[in-house]
Amino acid sequence: MPPQPKQARPAFTAGYRVSRSLVGLAAAGLALLALAATAARADVEEEAWAHFESDSFRLLSNAEVELSTQILLDLERFRRAFAQLAPGLDSSFPVPTQIVAFGDAESYAPFKSESDSANTRILGQFLGHRDGNFITLNADPRMSGGLGIVIHEYVHHVVNQNLPGVPRWLNEGLAEYYSTFRVEDGFAMVGGAVDRHLNWWRRNPDISVLEVLGEPRNAPVHSLGDAGRYYAVSWGLTHYLLSTASGTDSLASYLEEVAAGADRSEALLAVLGVSRRELEALLRSHVAAESLPANRLALDELGKMAIEQENTSPAATLVVLGELAARLGNEQHAEELLSLALGYEPESAEALAGLASLREGQGRLEEAGLLYDDALALAPGSALPYLRYGRHLLRRRELVPHGSERAGELAIEAKVSFLAAAGLEPSFAEPRVMLAFVHQLDGLEAEEGLVHGKRARELLPTRVDVVHILIRLYLKQGSIDRANALLEGPLAALAEPEFKEKVRDEIERAELLLAARAALSEGRWDEGLELFDQAISYTVDAEARLQMEEQLAQLEQRAERAKGGAGAFR
């Protein structure tokens, strides 16, 4: 990208708006922020950054404009091609997704989750998070492979979003298969040969496909012994299955069998109708072919695509980089960049909210609250500040007495903030999750929470916590049957056994409390108190258990008084 003309910019300390959020900060702290911002300014001002946008992605890049546009165009083409080749999988993002392309290794170095080593060079990464994804890559034209790595991780995200519990070999195999995406002669193509995998097959005449299938699903690849073997066999088997209509049908049947609890190795052999030796021979024959079959789509079948370059402020660039640094866990770098953003634009709501989030992570809730107050007073145009502020309010709520008037006020204020976030970005799932969550609390209606929870589940069908929130809302409503239906259906498919048992205990506790209340209301004191005591035994949370024990003591006193006359619980 050609150098951009320098513009006069305000000094950090002089340009910073005097606000309530700064009144509580020590002068020494402000001086440190100013020094940090000055250091960060020296690094950032040497680079010319630009923002680009397509239908599905946002790109921040300091690479050449033509190259930046091509990166975004290729990602958009891949997303559309993937949607056509795998129509059963939802390839959309229920969270904002920001791509950052670095024009060279030097500018990329501070924004990697791990450093390059003697044997490994990081060319691209996918950083998934419920508050927003980051895709980063080295866009140096002298390098290659970054886009393939990003696509590999993108496919993992889509698979995990759509196919909970998918076998590890298939997850890796799909990611490797689609990472070969390229545009050639007017076609978008996937499924081409991967040289390193073909070389592995040639060097290893004796293979054990079923041994790979049995590897632990959650184990890191580097812990599986020969990672090259794992990727090569996973890719070869996946490529074979996706190369014919009968193979894709067999793959669908295989996933159904595995979901029903069948052994992964036996299920694969059964749906293919082959023995172990026959399967290995089929794979060796497939990868030894002179040319591997690939899927291709004419570019005009993908629809028209418009890539627009946006005119944005330096502050907007620094906020993105600051959020990326925070996502990587580099708090000092994040603070430097966000502080510098405020030097350019003292009334940047997003920068203030980003700093507030850092303060909150450090346990400095009072400072975080003042920064959030300032951020929201500026009426931010994005959802994240409102989402973070709502969570901040819920954290403050945990510090006030349970059942107090202030606790109720904080819950309502949090709800209002989550509603603002959902209104600004309707396709962003997390505000819906938090709206469902907050309606579990006292004083808020379960029915409204269920509306948001169901929408969150449409956007996030594999999130265990969303199903759990829906179960709790049904319990709050007294709908035991609906809670059990979610436990035995979606939660059973998504959650680990220990978690399912925990939720089963919650349902049992709610059922006992309903029965206890019914007995007490009818004057059956002994039965009601016994049921209430049983419900306490199902309560794991120490604070909730203590509150219930206090309620039980009060009920026992009322029971004693009622037995002296004719009274019932109301």
Side-chain angles (χ1 to χ4, degrees), residues 41-60:
R41 183 194 302 266
D43 293 334
V44 174
E45 282 193 334
E46 297 302 319
E47 301 164 356
W49 291 88
H51 293 248
F52 303 82
E53 187 168 351
S54 68
D55 286 347
S56 307
F57 299 104
R58 297 175 297 186
L59 170 68
L60 172 66

Side-chain angles (χ1 to χ4, degrees), residues 201 206-211 274-285:
W201 281 85
D206 298 320
I207 61 174
S208 178
V209 172
L210 298 189
E211 183 180 332
V274 297
S275 68
R276 173 175 176 165
R277 287 182 178 274
E278 289 171 333
L279 175 60
E280 293 177 353
L282 283 171
L283 291 186
R284 182 162 295 284
S285 175

Side-chain angles (χ1 to χ4, degrees), residues 509-522 524 527-528 531-532:
R509 170 178 171 270
E511 199 165 10
L512 287 167
L513 285 173
L514 282 173
R517 187 171 185 87
L520 293 169
S521 68
E522 295 170 6
R524 293 180 280 120
E527 180 184 351
L531 289 167
F532 200 97

Side-chain angles (χ1 to χ4, degrees), residues 47 49 62 102-111:
E47 301 164 356
W49 291 88
N62 66 348
F102 297 89
D104 52 57
E106 184 179 3
S107 61
Y108 191 12
F111 296 96

